[in-house]
Each structure stands twice: as C-alpha cells, then as structure tokens.
Amino acid sequence: MERNIRKAAVLGSGVMGAGIAAHLANVGIPVYLLDIVPRELTEDESKKGLTLADPVVRNRIAQAGKDRLLKEKPAPLYDKANLDLITVGNMEDHLSYLGDADWIIEAVVENLDVKKKVFELVEAHRRPGTIVSSNTSGVSINEMSEGRSDEFRKHFLGTHFFNPPRYLKLLEIIPGNDTDPAIVDYMMRFGEFVLGKGTVLCKDTPNFIANRIGTYGLQISIQEMVRLGLGVDEVDALTGPVIGRPKSATFRTLDVVGLDTYVHVANNVKNKSADDAEKAVFEVPSFVLEMVEKRWIGQKAGQGFFKQVKTAEGKDILALDYHTMEYRPRVKAKFPSLEAAKTAKTLPEKLKALVYGKDKGSEFLWSVFKKVLLYSAAKAYEIADDIVSVDRAMKWGFGWELGPFETWDAIGVEKSVARMREEGETIPALVEELLASGKTSFYQKQDGRVAAFAVGGRYKDVEENKERINLAALKEQGRLIRKNAGAALVDLGDGVACLEFTSPHNALGMDVLQMAAFAAEEVQRNFLGLVIGNQGKNFCVGMNLGLALMEAQDENWFELDMLVKQFHKVGHALRTMHRPVVAAPFGMTLGGGVEICFLADRVQASAETYMGLVEVGVGLLPGGGGTKEMLFRAMENVPEGGTVPVDPFPFVARAFETIAMAKVSTSGREAINLGYLRPSDRISINPDHLLYDAKQLVLAMVKEGYTPQRPRKIRVIGESGYATLRQSIYTMKKSGYISDHDELIASKIAYVMSGGSVPAGTEVTEQYILELERQAFLELIKTPKTQQRMQHMLTKNKPLRN
C-alpha cells in the first residue's frame, strides 16, 4: 500500500508539541493540535462570564500553545501564514479529529501511565493503518504500547524530535518489538525528505542515543568540574567552539534545556540501569537538585547557572558559585592549553593541544573525553546498530562537530588508549577489536568515500543517499576543475558544475569574482549549466569588508570603482551566457551574497536561509546590483492592464524600505515575502539535499529549453517619486528615528530607486540604474562616517549609529 501523510494530529501543546505542530505546518501538512480540557476558569474568563462549557475555555490550553508560536524566538514558523494550517481542539470534544489523521504524535508529559491512557484513547478513534508515535525523550516504546492491539503496535514507534523542532536536525526513530519494518523505513525517509531531518535509527533503551551519551557527558563534566575546583564559566570556555561544540557549551546549554528537564532525563537512566557504576554517574549532584528546588532552572526562570542583571552600564551576566550558591562576576579562563588550542588551525589539532596539555584545563578535558569515549564504545551496540548512528546523533542532536568515534580518531586512538590503560581503565571490546585487527582509526577514507569500523573486525561503507552531494568528497575524487584562494569550480556530474566559495566567511573579493568569471567561460564551453553553492557555515556574508575599508582609507577610489565594475561585469557574464545558472543559498546570505543570488536565473534556497541587503549597517547601499534588482523586481509586481493604470510608487516604496531598514528574512519562505526571492524560486527543506536539488533544477531548465535572460527596461517614479520618499526620510530624521548619516544613506537609496533626475514615467535600462547605484556606492564609501561604521563592524561585529 502506498503511504502518504497528508494530515497529522499532535496531542499535547507544550513547547515540544506546539513546536512539532509548527514544523509540520512549515512543510505544508495541516495539523490538529489537541490538549486537555481546563478544570478551572482563569480570572479573565470569569470576568467575561465564560463557563467551563464554553469552547473557547475548553480549547484554551491548545490555543495558548498555538498563540505562543507567534511570540517565541527563534521563530518556530517559516512564515506566520503557516499558523492557519494548525487547528486547535481538546482531547474530549475533538478525538474524532484523529480519524482524519495519517500520523498521530503524542507529546504529553513524560509519564508512562499518562501516555498509556492517551494511547488507549487514540486506539479508540484512529483509523486502522494510521501511524502513531511518541515524542518521548526516553520512556520505553515497548512499555507504552503494552495492552494495545497487534494492529496498533504494528504502526507504533518513537519519533523523538529535539528542541526546537524546526532548527535541530536530529530525529530519532525508535521502533518497538512489533513495529512493522516498512513503517520504520517509511518514517526514516519521511523524516529526511519531508521534514528535512537527519534521521537516526535507535534501539529502545533508556534515553535512546543522543540523550544517553549527551547526558552522560554533562554529568561527567559536572563531576570533573567539582573534583578540580573549576567554575561553570571556566568549564564553558573549555567546552564550547574550541572543541567543536556549540557556543552554549555545557552550562549555558543546561540553562536553555532547563534543569528540571535535565534532572528528569538523568534520573531516567539511573532508575533503569542495572549497572551500579552507570547509576553512580547519573546521580544528580546535590547543588543541582537545590537549584531545581529554588526554581533556578535556567533561561525560562530567569536564572540558572547564569543570571543576567542590570548594571549602571547596561546588563551583565553573572555565574553561579556552586559552593556558596551565590552569583558572582564571570572570570576569564586562563589555561596555556586553551591558548594553544585557539591558535591551532584544525579541530583535531585543537583537541590534541587540549587533551594532551599539562594544566588543569587539560586535565579536565582529558578526564571528560576519556570517560565519554569509553562509555560511547561500551554502549554503542546496545543503543544503536553502528558507530555512525552514534556519531550522527551527537552531531545532529547536540551540535557536536565531531561525534565520539570521530573525536577518538582526531586525538589518536592508539595514543589515547595507551594512556587510558596506564590509568587503569577497562577498554571496551569494540576498541580492543579495532586495535587487534591492526587498525588505528574508526573511520577510513579513500577517494572521498568513507567506511566505518563495525563489529566483526571489518569496515562498512557509510552509505549516503544520492541527494547528499559532498563537495569535499568530489574534490578528493578528482572532480576539481580549478581553484584559487577564495573559490573553486567543481564538477557535480551530469554536465553541471558548481562555483564554490571558500574564502573566510565566504566573503566576496576579487579572487571570488575572478573564479566566477572563469566559471562563466568554462560552463559556456563545456557544461550544461552552473550551480552557485557551497557547504560552509553560511552561503555568503557579503563583500570583503576589511579589504574595502583598507582601500577607502588609502583613498584608492580607482580600485574600489574597479571592484564594483568587476562585480557588474561578472554579473553580466553569468546572466547572458547560454547556460542556466541556479544559486543555492543557505544560512546567512547577506549583502553581496543576495546580489549573487540575483544574478542567477533561479534560486534553490534552503528553508533556513536568512537573506538581507544589510549594507546600510556599514553606511553603504547595495552596490553589486542589489539596489537595481530590488527596483526591477518591485516593478515586476505592478499589475498590468486595466482601465486605470496602477501607481507603481507603493511597490517601489516597499522595496526601498526593505533596503533602508536592512530587513533580513527569518527563513527562505520569508525571503519570498521580502522580495529577495521570487515566488517561482524553490525551497529545500533538508539542507543536505540543497546542492542536489539545485543541480536537478539546472537539468530541468536545460530539458525545458533554456534561453538566457534579456536586458530589461522599466518606467521609473522619477523626481516626483523621489521627492515623496525624501519627505518620508526627512520626517524620520526630524522625529529622531534616524541620524544625519542615516538620512544621507537613505536619500542615496531613494535617488537610485527613483531613477535619478528624470520625470516620472521615464523608461530606463538596467545599465542606467546600475550606473546610478555605482556612483552612490562610491560617494558613500568616501565619507568618514561610513568608514567609521565599517571599522566598527569589523572590530565590534555590530552596527554603529553615528
């Protein structure tokens, strides 16, 4: 039977339940969000004369969960309009809704008895064949389905999302003993291809994979901190980006998760483990329990391991002294190994500098790493089918750059195990088997293909779907066409090439433009089409600001003029060649990164794309065609025909406001609403599939019969439109909302978007507007205040208002 999830129901509208409903709505799936019926009225409801029988009261809890989605940050929704796909109800009056759902997700309190009662209700109202899952973080899947019918258990499994569901990549899939393997396979693919997740198959063990290893690591970190007398701020300095972990490190992560949730997860393993040593590790320290009692449970309570306070200078963040249970100013961690790690170039070099150092920071990290690696190896086949699943779960669920076994390879398996033996540790059988076979790493790589060590002393290829294109692997396979310091051209196969940015932060400089010019020629001669994409942290953060500022401070106006002209020249080459070009933006796509996307015929954007022309923040306007393109796109939206011509001014004014206010989209979908993307552009939900989807779009355009873009003309709003925009700018200035320099920048943008000193209705070309844009850019970069803004952004990483 062909299966398709067209409608879903989520039971429980708390943070996770509402977040899951939001993400289902993000991908276009209508969803019912149900919760319990309130047992008493609120004060506000009583004042309104409502009763417990009124639907607005009976649905209040689910409605509150839905309403919260518009207030939460980061935003759970790609687009506020997606909220319309969520229908609220309650678990007494609306259980009939379950009969319409193809997938029912339970997200109620983590209590086995409560969950079993919920599933008894679900079974009475679901259609046969409907998939039912629990978003549990650790309650046994098999225990939850006890007492249910064979048909129910066949369609029942665990689907553990991580919080927040929109942003965290991991989706753990946990089958029960009776789950139909076809259902498991379907949900693994559905999670990846429809929900955009990294799906990992887990065994039904306490806390599954990520929380099992992650919570163990957090517990060990706390215990080693206490043993060595370190502070929570020192530990966070040692366990953040320097070791390939998120900025929130250890204790800020706990504050975000919530100490109440954390204690529940730790107790779950402790209570279910038969191993006394493991039980001891998961024993929550007394000071953490005291924090929970005092409701110092983290971010949601306003204080946890850290607390933000107001000061005369603004705000400060204090750290908890767990000895005195009082907050104190944070201290800067000072360890020689930490300083050495910061200067190392690669993550393996950083890790080696840290774990093999000779100070207290090194002692802490070695102890934590040692115990987490030994635990991971001992538990790997108890909680998963292979080490790859363990590594992926930790990378996708906890944001680790390297999973446990990849970390072991990075610090050296032989060297670390020798030290562990000297320290009297028991080495797990999996590691002994690896070393006995004469191998020294858990992973092997050859010609861009990766194999992982498995029980039985052999390596198994790590299989990847064809939708996951890996540029680094392609280059290892000899598919690099050419590279320079800032970019590369890579053969994606099937006649499609990829222009990859490789400069720091993928910033645009002359080297990137030179490679783009080469790409235009090479693709024209030898390929069917071009993808502009990469697999860095962000697509492109804009032009090389440091280089531009240096030229401006040296008054090298000719060089700056040439840089802008070169951008325009490359843009013309890409737009007019007889091959389709598709840009594949993701993450931060700012300034020149947006302008690169404007050069493409089509855009295949990641759902998580944060696009914005943000040049005003450094005292400039978009000078690489961005101002021009926003104007032309605004005019494309002006309706044609009709007896009365439509005034184009509101359309231009909206585009002007987008640039002048440096609006940045919170998703690829919102980028369409802001005009950075067209409705015809496409969105990839799974970021791992982005390059593949972009390549397929190129091939589809070839098959349809591609014709290059043609030069366009528009009728501008002219001097009268400029005067109206100037009046708005002047009003903002007089009201104190903007500075003199803001006024100057906004006026330059308005002048370009009005079409300069011409009458309203004058027909102009793209090149004419580009020339106005270039002149305005150069005029602004010559001003001292713009240079001050550029300098401030480079040194402080935030805009200056001057």
Side-chain angles (χ1 to χ4, degrees):
M1 180 180 77
E2 185 177 344
R3 186 173 293 279
N4 199 349
I5 294 174
R6 296 184 179 88
K7 188 173 287 188
V10 177
L11 309 180
S13 62
V15 172
M16 284 303 296
I20 293 168
H23 193 58
L24 291 169
N26 283 337
V27 300
I29 297 174
V31 55
Y32 297 115
L33 181 62
L34 309 184
D35 213 314
I36 60 172
V37 175
R39 295 294 172 240
E40 55 186 31
L41 295 172
T42 65
E43 187 177 335
D44 187 52
E45 288 168 343
S46 296
K47 287 179 180 178
K48 291 179 180 177
L50 297 171
T51 71
L52 289 173
D54 286 303
V56 68
V57 175
R58 295 177 70 79
N59 296 340
R60 182 224 304 155
I61 296 175
Q63 185 64 51
K66 178 178 176 179
D67 293 343
R68 198 171 56 244
L69 296 173
L70 292 176
K71 302 170 187 173
E72 287 182 1
K73 291 185 179 180
L77 296 161
Y78 291 158
D79 187 336
K80 291 177 181 178
N82 292 341
L83 203 65
D84 294 340
L85 289 172
I86 301 175
T87 301
V88 300
N90 67 72
M91 290 167 62
E92 291 180 17
D93 304 328
H94 302 111
L95 287 171
S96 61
Y97 288 175
L98 302 184
D100 294 335
D102 304 301
W103 179 22
I104 300 167
I105 307 141
E106 169 272 312
V108 303
V109 64
E110 288 284 83
N111 178 290
L112 177 60
D113 291 335
V114 172
K115 289 179 184 290
K116 291 183 77 169
K117 289 176 182 176
V118 168
F119 291 127
E120 186 178 352
L121 289 173
V122 169
E123 182 161 27
H125 292 86
R126 68 184 273 275
R127 294 192 320 267
T130 298
I131 296 172
V132 182
S133 71
S134 172
N135 179 60
T136 179
S137 60
V139 179
S140 170
I141 303 304
N142 288 304
E143 289 179 17
M144 277 190 277
S145 62
E146 285 177 357
R148 305 275 60 80
S149 68
D150 291 345
E151 197 277 339
F152 183 98
R153 293 200 307 274
K154 178 181 177 182
H155 293 87
F156 180 70
L157 72 165
T159 51
H160 180 210
F161 289 83
F162 278 64
N163 190 33
R166 168 183 165 182
Y167 296 96
L168 280 190
K169 184 173 179 176
L170 180 61
L171 175 60
E172 291 183 321
I173 302 291
I174 313 103
N177 293 336
D178 301 316
T179 310
D180 184 346
I183 298 293
V184 178
D185 291 343
Y186 175 79
M187 290 305 295
M188 288 285 287
R189 287 189 62 80
F190 180 84
E192 178 177 349
F193 286 86
V194 179
L195 301 179
K197 297 298 174 189
T199 54
V200 171
L201 188 64
C202 307
K203 294 181 180 178
D204 187 18
T205 55
N207 292 359
F208 315 127
I209 299 176
N211 276 343
R212 182 75 171 270
I213 302 294
T215 306
Y216 182 91
L218 290 168
Q219 283 287 100
I220 291 294
S221 297
I222 293 173
Q223 292 161 14
E224 289 301 311
M225 173 186 73
V226 173
R227 181 178 72 84
L228 293 167
L230 296 174
V232 297
D233 36 12
E234 291 177 298
V235 168
D236 272 10
L238 290 165
T239 57
V242 72
I243 63 167
R245 305 284 171 84
K247 287 182 180 179
S248 55
T250 298
F251 292 101
R252 278 181 294 165
T253 294
L254 286 171
D255 277 355
V256 171
V257 169
L259 268 66
D260 51 344
T261 301
Y262 171 71
V263 168
H264 172 81
V265 172
N267 284 337
N268 192 49
V269 179
K270 185 187 76 170
N271 296 334
K272 294 190 176 183
S273 176
D275 183 336
D276 288 340
E278 185 177 36
K279 277 181 179 288
V281 170
F282 283 92
E283 187 73 45
V284 178
S286 59
F287 69 85
V288 175
L289 295 177
E290 185 179 342
M291 292 172 71
V292 174
E293 284 177 21
K294 292 182 175 183
R295 298 303 294 167
W296 296 359
I297 56 175
Q299 196 168 281
K300 57 190 173 185
Q303 66 186 99
F305 286 106
F306 296 96
K307 178 182 180 180
Q308 189 177 82
V309 295
K310 291 183 179 179
T311 66
E313 292 77 30
K315 294 178 181 177
D316 192 18
I317 296 175
L318 303 179
L320 180 71
D321 183 330
Y322 53 88
H323 295 106
T324 64
M325 297 304 284
E326 294 179 353
Y327 289 92
R328 57 161 175 78
R330 288 177 296 171
V331 298
K332 183 176 175 63
K334 295 180 180 178
F335 304 110
S337 61
L338 183 59
E339 298 309 311
K342 287 177 180 177
T343 61
K345 291 184 177 179
T346 67
L347 182 54
E349 289 171 354
K350 292 178 188 292
L351 294 177
K352 288 173 184 174
L354 285 163
V355 299
Y356 298 128
K358 301 296 182 182
D359 54 52
K360 192 181 285 189
S362 287
E363 185 181 351
F364 168 81
L365 278 175
W366 166 255
S367 296
V368 172
F369 273 43
K370 175 181 71 171
K371 292 178 180 179
V372 171
L373 296 181
L374 289 171
Y375 186 75
S376 299
K379 299 296 179 184
Y381 280 85
E382 177 187 322
I383 61 179
D385 289 332
D386 49 46
I387 66 169
V388 177
S389 296
V390 176
D391 279 345
R392 285 178 171 173
M394 298 317 301
K395 290 192 289 185
W396 296 345
F398 275 70
W400 294 11
E401 197 169 325
L402 298 175
F405 297 97
E406 292 169 325
T407 298
W408 217 328
D409 283 354
I411 66 172
V413 178
E414 279 188 308
K415 182 176 180 178
S416 60
V417 169
R419 181 173 170 182
M420 291 173 189
R421 291 192 206 280
E422 288 175 9
E423 294 174 359
E425 301 291 349
T426 301
I427 308 302
L430 177 65
V431 186
E432 294 282 21
E433 187 177 13
L434 173 78
L435 296 173
S437 68
K439 305 297 184 182
T440 59
S441 65
F442 286 100
Y443 290 91
Q444 289 185 340
K445 187 182 289 186
Q446 186 173 4
D447 297 329
R449 292 174 176 83
V450 178
F453 187 76
V455 167
R458 59 194 176 85
Y459 285 84
K460 281 182 63 178
D461 286 342
V462 178
E463 294 183 10
E464 295 282 11
N465 295 332
K466 68 179 186 302
E467 289 82 5
R468 294 185 183 184
I469 292 175
N470 186 317
L471 290 176
L474 290 180
K475 287 186 277 191
E476 288 174 11
Q477 293 166 21
R479 304 273 279 276
L480 177 67
I481 301 165
R482 180 180 288 188
K483 70 173 183 177
N484 63 19
L489 191 64
V490 183
D491 183 356
L492 295 182
D494 299 318
V496 181
C498 177
L499 173 61
E500 176 193 22
F501 305 151
T502 59
S503 58
H505 307 295
N506 290 342
L508 301 175
M510 194 59 80
D511 47 6
V512 176
L513 295 179
Q514 288 169 352
M515 186 57 64
F518 169 76
E521 295 177 3
E522 178 68 12
V523 170
Q524 183 93 328
R525 285 194 303 265
N526 298 313
F527 288 85
L528 297 174
L530 176 69
V531 169
I532 303 176
N534 64 77
Q535 292 174 321
K537 185 177 179 181
N538 294 296
F539 176 73
C540 177
V541 297
M543 73 172 175
N544 187 326
L545 196 61
L547 176 64
L549 177 60
M550 184 177 67
E551 298 288 10
Q553 289 174 334
D554 291 341
E555 299 187 358
N556 290 330
W557 312 126
F558 176 78
E559 284 79 0
L560 282 167
D561 192 20
M562 287 301 297
L563 179 66
V564 176
K565 286 181 177 177
Q566 181 65 17
F567 201 118
H568 292 170
K569 182 179 178 182
V570 169
H572 179 75
L574 290 171
R575 290 174 70 94
T576 58
M577 69 179 190
H578 291 262
R579 300 287 184 268
V581 179
V582 172
F586 62 94
M588 292 296 178
T589 302
L590 305 175
V594 178
E595 292 172 316
I596 286 288
C597 294
F598 285 168
L599 299 176
D601 297 289
R602 297 280 295 279
V603 175
Q604 181 78 45
S606 170
E608 299 300 340
T609 302
Y610 317 118
M611 291 186 101
L613 292 168
V614 296
E615 285 83 352
V616 296
V618 290
L620 296 167
L621 55 64
T627 311
K628 178 270 297 180
E629 187 62 25
M630 287 296 284
L631 170 62
F632 272 74
R633 291 185 178 209
M635 297 302 287
E636 285 175 5
N637 293 325
V638 179
E640 295 181 0
T643 55
V644 180
V646 176
D647 181 9
F649 180 83
F651 297 86
V652 176
R654 183 184 175 204
F656 161 78
E657 183 181 273
T658 299
I659 297 176
M661 295 182 69
K663 292 183 179 180
V664 178
S665 72
T666 61
S667 67
R669 179 61 55 190
E670 193 182 14
I672 295 175
N673 299 340
L674 291 175
Y676 295 133
L677 297 179
R678 290 188 170 99
S680 59
D681 290 326
R682 296 183 180 180
I683 306 291
S684 292
I685 302 298
N686 193 318
D688 290 343
H689 298 177
L690 181 60
L691 287 180
Y692 176 86
D693 293 343
K695 174 184 169 182
Q696 297 309 117
L697 182 53
V698 167
L699 294 173
M701 293 169 70
V702 171
K703 189 174 182 180
E704 291 166 4
Y706 174 74
T707 55
Q709 299 182 53
R710 295 176 180 173
R712 296 167 293 172
K713 294 181 179 180
I714 55 167
R715 296 189 183 279
V716 294
I717 60 175
E719 293 171 313
S720 59
Y722 174 63
T724 306
L725 288 174
R726 278 288 292 126
Q727 183 59 47
S728 298
I729 297 166
Y730 178 75
T731 301
M732 292 282 285
K733 167 66 172 51
K734 294 300 288 183
S735 301
Y737 290 112
I738 61 175
S739 67
D740 289 344
H741 199 54
D742 291 327
E743 181 184 23
L744 174 65
I745 299 163
S747 297
K748 295 287 186 186
I749 298 169
Y751 186 75
V752 175
M753 299 193 80
S754 301
S757 301
V758 297
T762 301
E763 188 175 73
V764 300
T765 64
E766 289 185 82
Q767 191 57 44
Y768 169 79
I769 299 295
L770 266 182
E771 186 59 25
L772 292 180
E773 180 187 291
R774 181 183 67 83
Q775 291 171 4
F777 177 88
L778 292 170
E779 288 165 4
L780 285 171
I781 204 169
K782 289 178 181 179
T783 63
K785 286 190 175 182
T786 282
Q787 292 177 28
Q788 288 167 14
R789 289 190 178 195
M790 295 169 73
Q791 182 74 50
H792 194 268
M793 181 62 74
L794 287 167
T795 56
K796 305 289 186 181
N797 198 32
K798 57 183 179 181
L800 170 69
R801 291 294 304 275
N802 60 351

